[in-house]
Amino acid sequence: MSTATAARNLDASPVAIELRNVNKWYGQFHVLTNVNLTVRKGEKVVVCGPSGSGKSTMIRCVNRLEEHQTGDIIVDGMTLTNDVKGVDAIRREVGMVFQQFNLFPHLTVLENLTLAPIWVRKMPKKEAEDLAMMLLKRVRIPEQALKYPGQLSGGQQQRVAIARALCMRPKIMLFDEPTSALDPEMVKEVLDVMIELANEGMTMICVTHEMGFARSVADNVVFMDRGEIVEMAAPTEFFANPKSERTRLFLSQILSH
Amino acid sequence: MSIDQTLPGSLAPEDKANLQAAAGAPEAIVAPPGGTGGPVLWMRKNLFGSLRDSIITVLLGAVLLYVGWGFFKWAVIGATWTAQTADACRANAGGACWAYLVEKAPFMLYGTYPFEERWRPTIVSLLIIAMLVSSCDRRMWNWRLAAMWVVGFAVSWILMFGGVFGLPYVETGLWGGLPVTLILSVVALAAAFPMAILLALGRRSNMPAIKALCVGFIELIRGVPLISLLIMASVMLPLFLPEGVTIDKFLRALVAFSLFAAAYLAEVIRGGLQAIPKGQYEAADALGLSYRLKTQMIILPQALRLVIPPLVNTFIGFFKDTSLVYIIGIYDLLTAGESAVKDPAWRGFANETYLFLAAVYFIFCFSMSRYSQYLERDLNKSHRR
Ligand SMILES: Nc1ncnc2c1ncn2[C@@H]1O[C@H](COP(=O)(O)OP(=O)(O)OP(=O)(O)O)[C@@H](O)[C@H]1O
Ligand SMILES: [Mg+2]
């Protein structure tokens, strides 16, 4: 695939997510320091960085699972404030996939998928179920619809989680280390689904250390350290000649094994 | 789970067939190798596994036989089954007097409720038991169940009080026995349960005022003995009411019980809420579920099924604690039994009385316990982590 064309196309497309001078503290601890990030519609951003650098915190600020203290976060044209209505409106447009899947264990796979469309989007039950089955086919596990999450493998659970987020027909998807809790042989089945999603033009921010995925899918790779965005570049550039010393050190560590 | 029932009607037939195949026809049950080997092998393994085991088995068996034989002699062989008066029983002091129970059981079950009207508490008791039994089926857990209970309570109210439809009015002072115990425990617990859920949620609320209110209520109610609450409700409360306003003693006891049960149940439910992983809240939030939906569809269903054993434990405790209303002069099952013992014509058959009362309580408590075990198993079948 050609990153150059992708990048050129993106410059023309509207801004989906914008973080402007975002700062966040946990008590005295400064987790996010002057974070600036613009993600355009259809753009795929991969975020990497050492443990504790604030990657999760940053993307969780985008759908207000965490609150930032200063700066602006604008999602799909809406500025995040404390207004509950506004937060709910943004959450309807932003899907999220977690490291630990976080499926609802007391509901079947199908019910996991249809719950939010039926109750939040007020979609008729039949329509929601059709949509859910369609998405389960897309993540290649339609036959598991009536099982409970506890009866599925990790890879299957994560694919259900992706389908559940897609069921709300989000404009933006956030992934927080979606493959880190998986056994190695299941990583590919989840990444394949994510690659497919990316090729369909979904706007994505993905925290991951799967550098192969970053290379083939990302328009931009962001490197974070100690709450700052240290470096951001197209993957070819990012991997070939990282500008900062910290990035180089990090890459040498994760690429060495 | 019936697959057809839960399948969306909109699926294509081939999808349906696939789903049914995947969800699995019940797998054939294959016995583990070796099998269990029948009772003889079981006894040899579990009762006579070693010399020490054998000695303990023999000793315990002897004690059991001795006590059991004594009871059997008293309760069956030497018992007086029929007698017109107590004298026949007194002549046969070494055996149980079941004639006494035949004579007095109706009084214990109905208390002082007017004799000709006893069919009314009978219907009420049967109605409540029937409603309890039908509530056990999980497929019934929807709005119809709530409607059934509302109608059931209304019918019970009319039947017990009367005063309409040509039924003579019966004041609560005359109520007694099993219906009183049933109404007290069922109504108080039914009122306490939703209150407890709100208290438990409130105690975990981010809003300081609500949190303080809930904590204060729970700690206050939990910190005093039930008896003092009952006495306060029956003696102190009327002092604060304006002249001429009276609240029925029975209703006051009901309110006291509900508040007490709510405080205890709230803490049990809070335990369940605390066990729900943070990820469940976050996943619900990320899907845009409102606080109400999140609580109702995701958090409570999981939290409540986690706390079924302590919930039922509390229920059973409260069912028995209703007997404390004797303190404020309400005639429940136990009180009715006690006054039966004191009846001059049949004085002195305490053993029979308490055995009977224990049996009645046991039937209810044991059913509750068995039901909770069934419910846990049934819920876990589908809900495997
Ligand atoms: N609720 C909290 N209270 C206090 N500190 C927190 C809290 N959550 C996270 N932190 C701290 O904030 C920092 C950033 O956490 P974050 O989870 O964003 O890191 P991360 O980059 O996602 O790391 P990882 O790769 O391990 O997931 C960490 O040092 C963490 O200890
Ligand atoms: Mg993280």
Side-chain angles (χ1 to χ4, degrees), chain B residues 199 202-217:
Chain B
L199 282 169
R203 192 166 185 168
R204 289 168 55 85
S205 162
N206 296 326
M207 285 174 267
I210 291 183
K211 185 173 175 165
L213 206 70
C214 294
V215 173
F217 176 88

Side-chain angles (χ1 to χ4, degrees), chain A residues 60 63 65-66 88 91-92 94-96 98 101-108 110-112 115-116 119-120 122 125-127 129-130 133 137 142-151 164-165 168, chain B residues 1 3 5-12 15 18-20 22-24 277-294 296-299 301-302 305 381-385:
Chain A
R60 289 155 59 88
N63 66 351
L65 288 184
E66 302 286 352
D88 281 345
R91 284 175 177 168
R92 279 196 290 271
V94 179
M96 184 154 192
F98 301 86
F101 327 138
N102 294 348
L103 294 175
F104 306 131
H106 62 301
L107 301 176
T108 61
L110 193 65
E111 289 164 344
N112 263 279
L115 181 87
W119 292 94
V120 179
K122 309 275 181 251
K125 184 159 183 249
K126 181 182 166 326
E127 198 183 315
E129 280 171 346
D130 288 345
M133 287 311 294
K137 276 188 193 135
E143 73 285 354
Q144 311 289 352
L146 297 184
K147 288 198 183 164
Y148 286 84
Q151 296 166 294
R164 178 177 70 178
M168 285 293 281
Chain B
M1 179 189 63
I3 293 176
Q5 232 178 342
T6 44
L7 265 186
S10 52
L11 294 180
D15 278 347
N18 283 341
L19 282 177
Q20 278 166 337
K278 207 163 140 253
Q280 292 290 307
Y281 291 87
E282 288 175 352
D285 283 339
L287 285 169
L289 266 60
S290 63
Y291 175 81
R292 221 201 63 166
L293 279 173
K294 175 174 63 173
Q296 183 186 325
M297 318 284 293
I298 308 297
I299 307 302
Q302 295 185 62
R305 68 182 69 178
K381 236 186 285 170
S382 49
H383 172 226
R384 274 179 243 156
R385 268 194 212 252

Side-chain angles (χ1 to χ4, degrees), chain B residues 62-77:
Chain B
V63 171
L64 275 179
L65 271 180
Y66 183 78
V67 175
W69 173 244
F71 180 78
F72 187 72
K73 261 202 310 200
W74 177 80
V76 180
I77 298 180

Side-chain angles (χ1 to χ4, degrees), chain A residues 211 223 238-239 242 244-257:
Chain A
M211 289 304 142
F223 173 68
F238 182 86
F239 292 109
S244 104
E245 186 55 41
R246 281 196 266 174
T247 316
R248 236 169 285 150
L249 183 65
F250 174 75
L251 284 177
S252 71
Q253 277 166 355
I254 64 162
L255 294 178
S256 67
H257 57 252

Side-chain angles (χ1 to χ4, degrees), chain B residues 82-211:
Chain B
T82 53
Q84 291 306 313
T85 65
D87 294 336
C89 281
R90 296 214 175 87
N92 176 21
C97 180
W98 299 129
Y100 159 80
L101 272 191
V102 174
E103 177 76 18
K104 281 292 176 188
F107 175 76
M108 293 184 218
L109 290 177
Y110 295 109
T112 47
Y113 206 88
F115 186 77
E116 334 54 81
E117 305 294 333
R118 277 185 184 172
W119 61 273
R120 283 154 56 178
T122 310
I123 292 184
V124 169
S125 301
L126 292 177
L127 182 67
I128 292 181
I129 293 171
M131 287 199 294
L132 287 174
V133 170
S134 57
S135 306
C136 288
D137 190 342
R138 219 146 53 85
R139 279 167 305 180
M140 292 278 297
W141 292 2
N142 49 37
W143 63 271
R144 267 181 224 127
L145 191 70
M148 177 185 85
W149 278 98
V150 170
V151 173
F153 278 144
V155 171
S156 306
W157 176 282
I158 291 170
L159 277 173
M160 287 304 284
F161 274 107
V164 286
F165 306 129
L167 298 171
Y169 177 72
V170 180
E171 55 162 332
T172 53
L174 292 175
W175 297 11
L178 185 62
V180 164
T181 297
L182 281 179
I183 293 173
L184 262 180
S185 41
V186 170
V187 176
L189 285 172
F193 196 65
M195 229 188 321
I197 290 178
L198 293 180
L199 282 169
L201 292 171
R203 192 166 185 168
R204 289 168 55 85
S205 162
N206 296 326
M207 285 174 267
I210 291 183
K211 185 173 175 165

Side-chain angles (χ1 to χ4, degrees), chain A residues 29-47:
Chain A
F29 179 59
H30 205 163
V31 225
L32 297 178
T33 312
N34 287 327
V35 170
N36 284 289
L37 180 69
T38 304
V39 182
R40 293 182 179 276
K41 192 163 178 296
E43 186 174 347
K44 294 105 191 75
V45 174
V46 163
V47 181

